[in-house]
Amino acid sequence: METSRPLDTLNKARNKRVIVELKNGKQFIGKLSAFDIHINTVLEEVEERVNGEITRKIGVVFLRGDTITMICPE
Amino acid sequence: METSRPLDTLNKARNKRVIVELKNGKQFIGKLSAFDIHINTVLEEVEERVNGEITRKIGVVFLRGDTITMICPE
Amino acid sequence: METSRPLDTLNKARNKRVIVELKNGKQFIGKLSAFDIHINTVLEEVEERVNGEITRKIGVVFLRGDTITMICPE
Amino acid sequence: METSRPLDTLNKARNKRVIVELKNGKQFIGKLSAFDIHINTVLEEVEERVNGEITRKIGVVFLRGDTITMICPE
Amino acid sequence: METSRPLDTLNKARNKRVIVELKNGKQFIGKLSAFDIHINTVLEEVEERVNGEITRKIGVVFLRGDTITMICPE
Amino acid sequence: METSRPLDTLNKARNKRVIVELKNGKQFIGKLSAFDIHINTVLEEVEERVNGEITRKIGVVFLRGDTITMICPE
Amino acid sequence: METSRPLDTLNKARNKRVIVELKNGKQFIGKLSAFDIHINTVLEEVEERVNGEITRKIGVVFLRGDTITMICPE
């Protein structure tokens, strides 16, 4: 029986929609297209939400890992 | 007699319910399914709580280690 | 089938216009001319925006990586 | 004559009661059961105190090292 | 065709006047005389500005890299 | 002629009384019994002071290096 | 023709008076007696100033590098 690692969870979420929350409270909802060990993350077809309101639609966004608090597969 | 290490405590809590608190004050209560040496952590069947109130139910959440202050096995 | 990495996204955006957001809330819109693994970034023909207002035009700007939250190719 | 190192002090406090203070002002008083070079720390039979008031009793708590300011053996 | 790196931009600005902005909002305008990979930076013949007002003239200043947000060649 | 290093100053202060100031403004005055390259520091026979007032007497305290701003030999 | 590095500037300032500013806004003016690559710094014959007012005279002070924003040779 193998032990799972946190990045396995992100790996399974590739090409699926995820919610990413930043330290500044913003949320980004989009398709997870890439990440690395620093948790630098790229989303596609993205909605930015602030306090639950959609504030912007973005084709592609690169998020620097150290600004991310959590990532939820939908 | 062996000396225990902090990650041993997390290891024993695998697949059990834990409370995770973040620097921004949010709590996540769920089953600990994975962690690594940076304390990046994955929970399953999760409740998010803010000021003791359940604010969200989440299937799976990846929490970036540097945003975590404490983890309590229930 | 190869797996893409976050810096590939920045690589594809070279010499194209991007929006860079900093932790202090400022935005810089300009042509991405260089970046490195720390996400230190150089933009050319840049507009600085604060709260959506253009506050400055800058020929070239070096942005220190740890101050960046996100980079969006336009 | 040997020179003592800071972690020797923590080592001597193993299995004894200590007070741990976090950057967010919370105190945790409990038996020091484990620590590592990052000062990740595990306490057992723990009281959480905020402004001197006991706010919670916890069986076991893992505290991430970078959130800790000080540890006092009682 | 070679790919440029962010520090190349700083290298080209050596001995020229640059504007450096810090995380605390202060600006330093002076001749860039040295920098390293941490972006530790030395300026000569420097004006310190706070909210656009000149607050001090300084012969030489060493700025610690992690306090810098941006550097603009004039 | 040899060049002195910052840790030499701490070394000379071993077993002497020092004032340690933290990022949160607290002061700890006590005998410097140990330190390491991260500036993790152990004091003995300690007074904690907040705004110049003695708020606590502590036998031994371990202070995490990254929370320390300055150390003054008395 | 050799390229100068930021630490060369600090080296030239050894045993001369410098102004050191911290992230918390405090200034320390004194003779630079030692520094290292982390910019941990030791000053001698020191004045602490807050908002331009002398608040303390100190024989020797060790300043942790990550709390320093700038160092100016007088």
Side-chain angles (χ1 to χ4, degrees):
Chain A
M1 200 188 82
E2 67 177 27
T3 308
S4 77
R5 292 160 303 176
L7 298 200
D8 294 343
T9 297
L10 298 185
N11 231 352
K12 268 184 260 168
R14 262 184 211 274
N15 296 315
K16 298 192 182 135
R17 288 187 77 73
V18 298
I19 304 172
V20 179
E21 287 195 10
L22 304 194
K23 288 182 179 159
N24 64 14
K26 287 186 179 175
Q27 285 187 324
F28 292 86
I29 297 113
K31 193 178 74 174
L32 178 62
S33 80
F35 66 89
D36 63 22
I37 56 164
H38 307 293
I39 321 302
N40 292 323
T41 298
V42 174
L43 301 182
E44 296 179 2
E45 300 162 35
V46 189
E47 281 177 13
E48 182 194 73
R49 288 191 202 167
V50 178
N51 300 323
E53 301 288 310
I54 297 174
T55 45
R56 220 175 352 167
K57 301 219 176 191
I58 307 168
V60 178
V61 66
F62 170 95
L63 298 166
R64 198 171 186 273
D66 82 325
T67 194
I68 291 175
T69 58
M70 50 181 282
I71 301 176
C72 303
E74 274 198 327
Chain B
M1 200 188 82
E2 68 178 26
T3 308
S4 77
R5 293 160 303 176
L7 298 200
D8 293 343
T9 297
L10 298 185
N11 231 351
K12 269 184 259 169
R14 262 184 210 276
N15 297 314
K16 298 192 181 135
R17 288 186 77 73
V18 298
I19 304 171
V20 179
E21 287 195 11
L22 304 193
K23 287 181 178 159
N24 64 14
K26 286 186 180 177
Q27 285 187 325
F28 292 87
I29 296 114
K31 194 179 74 173
L32 178 63
S33 79
F35 66 88
D36 62 23
I37 56 164
H38 307 293
I39 320 302
N40 293 323
T41 297
V42 174
L43 301 181
E44 295 180 2
E45 301 161 35
V46 189
E47 281 176 14
E48 182 194 73
R49 288 190 202 168
V50 178
N51 300 323
E53 302 288 310
I54 297 174
T55 45
R56 221 178 347 171
K57 301 217 176 193
I58 308 169
V60 176
V61 65
F62 170 95
L63 298 166
R64 198 170 186 272
D66 82 325
T67 193
I68 291 175
T69 58
M70 50 182 282
I71 301 176
C72 303
E74 274 198 327
Chain C
M1 200 187 82
E2 67 178 28
T3 308
S4 77
R5 293 159 302 175
L7 297 201
D8 294 342
T9 297
L10 298 186
N11 231 352
K12 268 184 260 168
R14 262 184 210 274
N15 296 314
K16 297 191 182 136
R17 289 186 76 72
V18 298
I19 303 172
V20 179
E21 287 196 10
L22 304 194
K23 288 182 180 160
N24 65 14
K26 286 185 180 177
Q27 284 186 326
F28 292 87
I29 297 113
K31 194 178 73 173
L32 178 62
S33 79
F35 65 90
D36 63 21
I37 55 165
H38 307 293
I39 321 302
N40 292 322
T41 298
V42 174
L43 301 182
E44 296 180 1
E45 301 162 33
V46 189
E47 280 177 13
E48 182 193 74
R49 288 191 202 166
V50 179
N51 299 323
E53 302 287 310
I54 297 174
T55 44
R56 221 178 348 170
K57 301 219 175 191
I58 307 168
V60 177
V61 66
F62 170 96
L63 298 165
R64 198 170 186 273
D66 82 326
T67 193
I68 291 175
T69 58
M70 52 181 282
I71 301 176
C72 302
E74 274 198 327
Chain D
M1 200 187 83
E2 67 177 27
T3 308
S4 78
R5 292 160 304 175
L7 297 201
D8 294 343
T9 297
L10 297 185
N11 231 351
K12 269 185 259 168
R14 261 183 211 275
N15 297 314
K16 298 191 182 136
R17 288 186 78 73
V18 298
I19 303 171
V20 179
E21 287 195 11
L22 304 193
K23 287 181 179 159
N24 64 13
K26 286 186 179 175
Q27 285 187 325
F28 292 87
I29 297 114
K31 194 179 73 173
L32 178 62
S33 78
F35 65 90
D36 62 21
I37 56 165
H38 307 293
I39 321 301
N40 293 322
T41 298
V42 174
L43 301 181
E44 296 180 2
E45 301 161 34
V46 189
E47 281 176 15
E48 182 193 73
R49 289 191 202 166
V50 178
N51 300 322
E53 302 287 310
I54 297 174
T55 44
R56 221 179 347 172
K57 300 217 177 193
I58 307 168
V60 177
V61 65
F62 170 94
L63 297 166
R64 198 170 186 273
D66 83 323
T67 192
I68 291 175
T69 58
M70 50 182 282
I71 301 176
C72 302
E74 274 197 329
Chain E
M1 200 187 83
E2 68 178 27
T3 308
S4 77
R5 293 159 304 177
L7 298 201
D8 294 343
T9 297
L10 298 186
N11 231 351
K12 267 185 261 169
R14 261 184 211 275
N15 296 314
K16 296 190 182 138
R17 288 187 77 71
V18 298
I19 303 171
V20 179
E21 288 195 10
L22 304 194
K23 287 181 180 159
N24 64 14
K26 287 186 179 175
Q27 285 187 325
F28 292 86
I29 297 113
K31 194 178 74 175
L32 179 62
S33 77
F35 65 90
D36 63 22
I37 55 166
H38 306 293
I39 322 301
N40 292 323
T41 298
V42 173
L43 301 181
E44 296 180 2
E45 301 162 31
V46 189
E47 281 176 14
E48 182 193 73
R49 287 190 202 166
V50 178
N51 298 324
E53 302 287 310
I54 298 174
T55 45
R56 221 178 347 170
K57 300 218 176 192
I58 307 169
V60 177
V61 66
F62 170 95
L63 298 165
R64 198 170 185 273
D66 82 325
T67 192
I68 291 175
T69 58
M70 51 181 282
I71 300 176
C72 302
E74 274 198 327
Chain F
M1 200 188 83
E2 67 178 26
T3 308
S4 78
R5 292 160 303 176
L7 297 201
D8 294 343
T9 297
L10 297 185
N11 231 350
K12 269 186 259 168
R14 260 184 211 274
N15 297 314
K16 297 190 181 136
R17 289 186 77 74
V18 298
I19 303 171
V20 178
E21 288 196 9
L22 304 194
K23 287 180 180 160
N24 64 13
K26 286 186 180 176
Q27 285 187 324
F28 293 86
I29 297 113
K31 195 178 73 175
L32 178 62
S33 78
F35 66 89
D36 62 22
I37 56 165
H38 307 293
I39 322 300
N40 292 322
T41 298
V42 174
L43 301 181
E44 296 180 1
E45 302 161 33
V46 189
E47 281 177 14
E48 182 193 73
R49 288 190 202 167
V50 178
N51 299 323
E53 302 288 310
I54 297 174
T55 44
R56 219 177 352 169
K57 300 218 176 192
I58 308 168
V60 177
V61 65
F62 170 95
L63 298 166
R64 199 170 186 272
D66 83 324
T67 192
I68 291 175
T69 58
M70 51 181 282
I71 301 176
C72 303
E74 274 198 328
Chain G
M1 199 189 83
E2 68 177 27
T3 308
S4 78
R5 292 159 304 176
L7 298 201
D8 294 343
T9 296
L10 297 185
N11 232 350
K12 269 186 258 168
R14 261 184 211 274
N15 296 314
K16 296 191 182 136
R17 289 186 77 73
V18 298
I19 303 171
V20 178
E21 289 195 9
L22 304 194
K23 287 181 181 158
N24 64 13
K26 285 187 180 175
Q27 285 187 325
F28 292 86
I29 297 113
K31 195 179 72 175
L32 179 62
S33 78
F35 65 90
D36 63 22
I37 56 165
H38 307 293
I39 322 301
N40 292 323
T41 298
V42 174
L43 301 181
E44 296 180 2
E45 302 163 31
V46 189
E47 282 177 13
E48 182 194 73
R49 288 190 201 167
V50 178
N51 299 323
E53 302 287 309
I54 297 175
T55 44
R56 220 177 349 169
K57 300 219 176 191
I58 307 168
V60 177
V61 65
F62 170 96
L63 298 166
R64 199 169 186 273
D66 83 324
T67 192
I68 290 175
T69 58
M70 51 181 282
I71 301 176
C72 303
E74 274 198 328

